[in-house]
Amino acid sequence: MKFTRRIAAVTGGVAMALGLAAVPAAAGEVTTAASCVGGYRIQPPAGWGKVTYSICYDGNQRKVTGTVTDLKTDGCLVRAKFTFARSGDDLVKSKDTGTSSSFAFGYYSATGVTADLKKIC
């Protein structure tokens, strides 16, 4: 739980999926230009899918890039959903796949980003 709070501080919100926190696959790497933090991953223990992603910050603008992967050939889809927290209505972007797909959302005005991973049958 302590680690989840650290991730929330980095992403500007709590990143949860099916009770799982988005965890860095490796130590977060930070680049210059726009400040980016990468290596986040959500993968449920059942092993049906995963999403790996990075979040870039440019002032109050946020961008998310990554890959969502369906790890089972069961006819279901895997959906990665990202919510950009904003005053008023939050902005929600998602990517569905039955195989593996890359995505890029942003730059959007937001105070933080949360991530979610779901299986859709």
Side-chain angles (χ1 to χ4, degrees), residues 61-80:
Q61 303 285 306
R62 305 287 187 265
K63 178 179 181 179
V64 178
T65 58
T67 304
V68 60
T69 306
D70 186 344
L71 299 173
K72 302 255 180 178
T73 54
D74 55 6
C76 298
L77 296 176
V78 175
R79 173 178 291 160

Side-chain angles (χ1 to χ4, degrees), residues 38-51:
Y40 294 108
R41 177 180 59 209
I42 301 173
Q43 184 171 2
W48 45 261
K50 71 176 180 178
V51 61

Side-chain angles (χ1 to χ4, degrees), residues 22-93:
V23 295
E29 55 187 53
V30 178
T31 61
T32 53
S35 176
C36 297
V37 179
Y40 294 108
R41 177 180 59 209
I42 301 173
Q43 184 171 2
W48 45 261
K50 71 176 180 178
V51 61
T52 56
Y53 63 97
S54 299
I55 301 174
C56 293
Y57 309 86
D58 188 2
N60 68 342
Q61 303 285 306
R62 305 287 187 265
K63 178 179 181 179
V64 178
T65 58
T67 304
V68 60
T69 306
D70 186 344
L71 299 173
K72 302 255 180 178
T73 54
D74 55 6
C76 298
L77 296 176
V78 175
R79 173 178 291 160
K81 181 176 84 171
F82 295 89
T83 303
F84 293 81
R86 308 184 321 175
S87 60
D89 293 332
D90 291 343
L91 177 64
V92 178
K93 296 289 184 178

